[in-house]
Structures are given as C-alpha cells and as structure tokens.
Amino acid sequence: QVQVVESGGGLVQPGGSLRLSCTCSGSSFSTYTVAWYRQAPGKQRELVARITLGGVTNYADSVKGRFTISRDNAENKVYLQMNSLNSDDTAVYFCNAARPPTYSGGPIVPGGSYWGQGTQVTVSS
C-alpha cells in the first residue's frame, strides 16, 4: 500500500556532499518511522540513520557528525544530507518506511514495513 522512492544518488569526489530524498505515499506519513540503510558489495545491509514521527533521530557511529536525517511531513519526504563523504560511504542506499498500527475511533489498521528500490552512491576520485 505504501510506495517508497529514493533519489539523489550519484558520483561524488571524496570530501563532497550529496542529499538523498525519500518520497513515501500514504495519508499518514507523519506517523511513519523512516530510516536510511545502505549495502556495499559483499556486505550486510546496515542502518545509517532513522527518524521517528516525533523527530527523534539515530545515527550509525560511522556517520555521526557527517550525515543529517530530516523530514518534511507536508511533502511526504525524508532527506539524508551527507557531508564529508569518503570511499567507505559507497553503497546502495535504501529507504524504509515503517507504518505503525493505527486507531482513530474505528477498526485498528495493521502496520507494515516498506522498502524502496535503492539509489547508488559512489564516492571516488
């Protein structure tokens, strides 16, 4: 039911910056917890950053101080600003939207977890 689309990846030199965008469908986007994951070739997918409905953020130690996750609920978007990029940041970046169970006076609507297709980030000189 929820569609997730990432954009903004590309080729950047070491020390450069990129801004990734995650657009999510749905009428209750403001209640979603949204996270960015990344997966490098031959490696396990890892959590990069997460933002809750209340704006609480979490970051992997490897990106603290360099990456910033933010959300614009009016546009159903979550952003990942990536600064001071290095070769270790090269990966496919995936957006995940977690929709919680909801209740507003009627039947409870089950939650779910939804993934985008990913966007490639390559850091190379």
Side-chain angles (χ1 to χ4, degrees), residues 10-18 66 82-90 121-125:
L11 176 65
V12 64
Q13 293 184 338
S17 298
L18 283 175
R66 299 189 297 121
M82 306 186 295
N83 299 325
S84 301
L85 288 163
N86 58 67
S87 60
D88 291 335
D89 298 316
T90 295
V121 172
T122 302
V123 184
S124 176
S125 59

Side-chain angles (χ1 to χ4, degrees), residues 37-46 48 90-94 120:
Y37 291 76
R38 67 186 181 187
Q39 188 167 24
K43 304 295 183 181
Q44 296 293 312
R45 188 172 298 186
E46 65 174 342
V48 177
T90 295
V92 178
Y93 284 70
F94 298 90
Q120 176 72 49

Side-chain angles (χ1 to χ4, degrees), residues 59-98:
Y59 298 94
D61 288 341
S62 60
V63 306
K64 286 182 179 178
R66 299 189 297 121
F67 290 11
T68 302
I69 188 170
S70 61
R71 65 192 300 160
D72 184 344
N73 291 334
E75 298 292 332
N76 281 22
K77 292 183 181 294
V78 167
Y79 303 98
L80 185 67
Q81 179 66 48
M82 306 186 295
N83 299 325
S84 301
L85 288 163
N86 58 67
S87 60
D88 291 335
D89 298 316
T90 295
V92 178
Y93 284 70
F94 298 90
C95 184
N96 174 265

